[in-house]
């Protein structure tokens, strides 16, 4: 029995000429449908996690640490004044591969609004950072107010959208911050500073929007307590994730002459990025288990097909077909089911992933509509109703940047074919071992 004959027999197993109803054929198409459906959430999870992790990583690197960050020693001359810190930043800017530098001061504080208080991370940055830094310009969206006021007015602040909501502050309102200052005798003294809110911005990542308060470093260098502040220079480089980043970091470290320690972005945020990666691996593994369970349906469908086609197998073997040829036919049929399932599930999954933001928005509107209806019918006031979010904005980006990992999807399709082959082995071998005489005797 030639390979061509095995392929033809496999085709006829799935698409027989006879219009006779077949439970086995229905099971095969059911197995194809199950594989296709199981691949849809897998593609969605991979695209979601890829886009979400890339989006969060981009914001953490671009808005928080930069590709490299030089943390200045508080006793160094560079930390004595804004001019000294800016001069040190210019030294780093002269390193090959460093595109731009942004001196800043960071400290913890307690921000006070009209009715509440909240802990914030105060960041003193240069007044033109929102325009000069490409990541700030592209990732931070101005929700209200004007960045121009931050550039020209003294004692102004740009706050995150979540901070604005928690403190009920809008542009033009006064923001009071309580900072801590260490005294020579070792005690801690509170220092109160008042700023005018010039703008409310959002990065699309609530975890960042809920903690940042930006103030101009030029006017507030001496305002922040030196003993409890972190002086640093954030650097944008040409080699964000490349091997060249190690070379740039070493040269910046050498140029610092003991003034600062220079760290790469993945060292500063190692635990967070490891958490992202482990979460993605776990979700992908769970989705792969669903695909594995769906692939088992191929095995049961082929077992039914072997039982239905015993006579055909017996006739083929009686006229010279080999056991190996019959086995190959059923293996081809099983792999074809996996291929057809992939052909159905992958494009459908990609289509859902591309439109996932719209799908989630539509589902949220539907869920909230019926929830509000039930809430009103229960005798409650709609004013106290809180909207339901399918993806809590406290942990996810407000808009998911979809990234289709085509390389990983190719590996998934290959894995589905291999799974289909593996689960087809037992029924295929059983079909090849069928004995014509026993089949004809039972007929």
């Amino acid at each position: 029995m030639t390979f061509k004959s095995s392929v033809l027999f496999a085709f006829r197993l799935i698409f027989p000429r006879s219009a006779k109803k077949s439970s086995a054929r229905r099971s095969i198409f059911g197995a194809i449908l199950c594989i296709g459906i199981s691949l849809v959430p897998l593609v969605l999870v991979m695209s979601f996690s890829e886009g979400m992790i890339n989006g969060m990583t981009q914001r953490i690197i671009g808005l928080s640490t930069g590709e490299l960050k030089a943390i200045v020693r508080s006793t160094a001359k560079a930390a004595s004044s804004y001019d000294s810190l800016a001069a040190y930043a210019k030294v780093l800017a002269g390193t090959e591969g460093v595109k731009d530098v942004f001196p800043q001061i960071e400290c913890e504080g307690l921000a006070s609004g009209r009715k509440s208080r909240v802990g914030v991370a105060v960041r003193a940055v240069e007044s033109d950072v929102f325009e000069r830094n490409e990541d700030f310009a592209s990732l931070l969206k101005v929700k209200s107010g004007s960045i121009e006021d931050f550039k020209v007015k003294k004692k102004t602040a740009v706050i995150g959208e979540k901070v604005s909501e928690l403190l009920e502050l809008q542009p033009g309102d006064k923001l009071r911050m309580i900072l801590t200052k260490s005294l020579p005798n070792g005690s801690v003294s509170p220092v109160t500073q008042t700023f005018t809110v010039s703008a409310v911005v959002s990065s699309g990542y609530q975890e960042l929007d809920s903690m940042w308060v930006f103030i101009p470093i030029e006017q507030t260098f001496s305002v922040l307590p030196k003993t409890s502040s972190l002086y640093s220079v954030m650097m944008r480089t040409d080699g964000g994730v490349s091997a060249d980043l190690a070379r740039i970091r070493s040269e910046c470290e050498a140029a610092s002459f003991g003034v600062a320690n220079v760290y790469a972005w993945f060292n500063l945020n190692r635990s967070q990025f490891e958490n992202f990666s482990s979460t993605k691996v776990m979700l992908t593994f769970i989705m792969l288990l669903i695909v594995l369970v769906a692939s088992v349906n191929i095995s049961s469908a082929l077992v039914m097909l072997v039982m239905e086609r015993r006579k055909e197998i017996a006739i083929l073997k009686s006229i010279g077909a080999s056991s190996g040829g019959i086995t190959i036919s059923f293996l081809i049929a099983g792999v074809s089911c996996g291929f057809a399932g992939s052909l159905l599930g992958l494009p459908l999954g990609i289509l859902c992933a591309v439109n996932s933001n719209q799908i989630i928005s539509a589902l949220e509107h539907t869920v909230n509509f019926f929830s509000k209806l039930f809430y009103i019918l229960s005798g409650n006031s709609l004013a106290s109703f809180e909207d339901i979010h399918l993806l809590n904005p406290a942990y996810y980006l407000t808009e998911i940047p979809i990234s289709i990992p085509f390389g990983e999807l190719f590996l998934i399709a290959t894995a589905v074919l291999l799974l289909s082959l593996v689960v087809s082995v037992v029924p295929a071998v059983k079909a090849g071992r069928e004995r014509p005489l026993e089949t004809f005797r039972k007929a």
Side-chain angles (χ1 to χ4, degrees):
M1 188 174 184
T2 64
F3 181 75
K4 184 178 179 181
S5 301
S6 297
V7 172
L8 180 61
F9 182 49
F11 180 79
R12 291 304 176 199
L13 287 172
I14 303 174
F15 303 104
R17 290 180 177 176
S18 172
K20 183 180 177 181
K21 291 183 179 180
S22 170
S23 299
R25 200 153 63 104
R26 285 197 297 270
S27 297
I28 286 176
F29 289 127
I32 293 173
L33 184 62
C34 286
I35 291 175
I37 292 174
S38 67
L39 283 174
V40 173
L42 177 59
V43 175
L44 281 171
V45 164
M46 293 182 69
S47 302
F48 261 55
S49 58
E50 188 77 13
M52 192 75 71
I53 290 172
N54 289 342
M56 291 178 178
T57 301
Q58 184 183 13
R59 284 160 175 77
I60 291 172
I61 296 173
L63 302 177
S64 182
T65 63
E67 284 87 4
L68 291 175
K69 187 173 184 178
I71 299 179
V72 181
R73 294 182 175 88
S74 60
T75 56
K77 182 182 178 181
S80 61
S81 66
Y82 166 66
D83 291 335
S84 299
L85 187 60
Y88 168 65
K90 287 183 179 179
V91 173
L92 296 177
T95 305
E96 182 184 357
V98 176
K99 294 171 62 177
D100 211 342
V101 292
F102 306 94
Q104 61 179 5
I105 309 173
E106 303 168 74
C107 71
E108 303 297 324
L110 184 66
S112 175
R114 294 177 177 176
K115 297 180 181 179
S116 60
R117 295 178 179 180
V118 64
V120 294
V122 183
R123 293 181 62 186
V125 296
E126 293 180 311
S127 55
D128 62 348
V129 70
F130 293 96
E131 295 177 354
R132 188 159 59 88
N133 189 315
E134 295 177 5
D135 292 315
F136 274 63
S138 61
L139 297 176
L140 285 176
K141 307 299 180 185
V142 178
K143 295 297 183 179
S144 58
S146 172
I147 296 295
E148 293 300 319
D149 292 340
F150 183 80
K151 294 170 61 177
V152 298
K153 294 183 179 180
K154 296 182 178 181
K155 298 294 288 272
T156 56
V158 172
I159 62 177
E161 186 177 28
K162 189 61 178 179
V163 174
S164 172
E165 292 177 6
L166 293 172
L167 299 180
E168 299 183 10
L169 293 177
Q170 294 300 323
D173 293 340
K174 296 296 182 180
L175 168 67
R176 292 181 296 277
M177 285 194 296
I178 301 174
L179 309 173
T180 58
K181 182 178 181 180
S182 298
L183 300 177
N185 59 7
S187 61
V188 177
S189 173
V191 179
T192 303
Q193 298 290 339
T194 303
F195 298 85
T196 301
V197 178
S198 63
V200 176
V201 298
S202 175
S203 65
Y205 187 18
Q206 198 175 101
E207 184 175 331
L208 301 181
D209 295 343
S210 64
M211 65 179 186
W212 280 343
V213 172
F214 298 95
I215 57 177
I217 190 174
E218 296 92 340
Q219 290 90 27
T220 58
F221 191 95
S222 59
V223 169
L224 300 179
K226 185 173 182 179
T227 52
S228 57
S229 297
L230 179 68
Y231 298 81
S232 63
V233 177
M234 188 170 70
M235 289 173 274
R236 297 187 74 250
T237 70
D238 293 323
V241 292
S242 70
D244 197 40
L245 188 64
R247 192 260 316 159
I248 299 172
R249 192 202 69 80
S250 298
E251 292 184 7
C252 288
E253 187 95 32
S256 298
F257 295 111
V259 173
N261 294 321
V262 182
Y263 300 93
W265 61 270
F266 47 81
N267 290 325
L268 292 170
N269 304 281
R270 184 180 298 276
S271 60
Q272 198 161 11
F273 294 135
E274 286 179 352
N275 182 43
F276 288 161
S277 299
S278 60
T279 301
K280 179 183 176 181
V281 170
M282 183 60 66
L283 288 172
T284 303
F285 176 71
I286 293 172
M287 293 299 107
L288 278 174
L289 288 179
I290 296 175
V291 176
L292 175 61
V293 172
S295 300
V296 173
N297 290 327
I298 295 177
S299 179
S300 60
L302 288 182
V303 169
M304 294 181 65
L305 193 62
V306 171
M307 295 176 65
E308 277 192 0
R309 298 302 181 92
R310 277 182 170 177
K311 288 185 179 179
E312 288 88 337
I313 295 170
I315 293 171
L316 287 173
K317 296 192 77 171
S318 64
I319 60 176
S322 64
S323 298
I326 299 296
T327 299
I328 290 174
S329 295
F330 280 88
L331 287 176
I332 292 173
V335 173
S336 298
C337 291
F339 178 77
S342 301
L343 210 58
L344 172 66
L346 292 179
L348 186 59
I350 292 173
L351 181 64
C352 291
V354 170
N355 297 282
S356 57
N357 284 300
Q358 293 85 344
I359 293 172
I360 291 174
S361 178
L363 287 173
E364 283 185 346
H365 280 95
T366 303
V367 170
N368 280 300
F369 173 78
F370 286 105
S371 297
K372 287 178 181 178
L373 183 62
F374 180 77
Y375 199 72
I376 294 171
L377 293 176
S378 300
N380 299 304
S381 173
L382 192 59
S384 60
F385 179 82
E386 293 185 3
D387 286 342
I388 298 171
H389 296 282
L390 298 182
L391 296 177
N392 192 331
Y395 307 104
Y396 302 97
L397 299 178
T398 53
E399 184 174 349
I400 303 169
I402 300 302
S403 176
I404 308 297
F406 288 102
E408 294 180 14
L409 293 183
F410 176 77
L411 293 177
I412 292 299
T414 304
V416 170
L417 294 180
L418 290 175
L419 282 174
S420 302
L421 178 64
V422 170
V423 299
S424 302
V425 169
V426 173
V429 170
K430 184 178 179 182
R433 291 178 177 176
E434 285 288 327
R435 297 179 180 180
L437 290 178
E438 290 186 5
T439 302
F440 290 138
R441 190 179 295 119
K442 293 177 180 178

